[in-house]
Amino acid sequence: MLRSAENGVQAGGSFYEQIGGRPTFERLVHAFYRGVADDEVLRPMYPEADLGPAEQRLLMFLEQYWGGPTTYSEQRGHPRLRMRHAPFTVNPDARDRWLAHMRAALDDLALPPLQDATLWAYLERAAHAMVNTFEA
């Protein structure tokens, strides 16, 4: 974490700003959902025929988490990630597939190593936290 400036604003800008803001997160999320679209385990977890709404929700969430606009909370309230994922079977296979698609999407961004590692560490923690069963 960067030190804060005197006025409480993060020195060097937020992580969101450091990696390029909305365009970077749009590229990440869009590449991720290209992988999900053809995944036999993950695709059934998205009830909409079009993955667009899910893509928009993840984009808004990641933007907010990393210091961008607070649109996610304004539109959807508190993220409550575990609660929102509770209706779905998120087992280690689903987690690993999610991580594989996210890793490929993150690799497409070609971020500097520190920024890549920072984002990846969060994504890994989040994916592991969503596991709600060890059954197939």
Side-chain angles (χ1 to χ4, degrees):
M1 182 60 81
L2 295 173
R3 294 184 328 194
S4 294
E6 286 183 35
N7 62 2
V9 175
Q10 196 173 35
S14 67
F15 184 80
Y16 175 80
E17 293 165 340
Q18 291 171 23
I19 67 169
R22 185 175 188 90
T24 300
F25 282 96
E26 285 177 327
R27 287 179 35 224
L28 174 71
V29 171
H30 189 69
F32 168 73
Y33 277 106
R34 275 197 314 266
V36 168
D38 295 323
D39 190 292
E40 62 193 30
V41 170
L42 297 180
R43 182 60 181 96
M45 294 185 194
Y46 298 91
E48 294 105 348
D50 172 19
L51 286 171
E55 188 172 327
Q56 187 60 33
R57 288 188 299 269
L58 181 57
L59 172 62
M60 290 187 309
F61 171 77
L62 290 173
E63 285 184 308
Q64 179 172 306
Y65 183 87
W66 291 104
T70 58
T71 311
Y72 185 93
S73 289
E74 291 164 10
Q75 291 183 6
R76 299 182 50 83
H78 190 280
R80 301 178 306 209
L81 294 179
R82 285 195 49 87
M83 183 203 77
R84 292 184 195 275
H85 290 82
F88 306 103
T89 299
V90 183
N91 60 20
D93 181 41
R95 175 203 60 213
D96 293 347
R97 287 169 177 263
W98 190 94
L99 283 168
H101 295 301
M102 193 56 81
R103 182 70 254 175
L106 186 53
D107 288 346
D108 284 350
L109 294 180
L111 295 173
L114 180 58
Q115 293 170 335
D116 182 283
T118 299
L119 185 50
W120 182 243
Y122 168 75
L123 294 168
E124 279 191 309
R125 284 191 313 274
H128 283 272
M130 294 304 107
V131 172
N132 57 25
T133 185
F134 288 93
E135 296 178 16

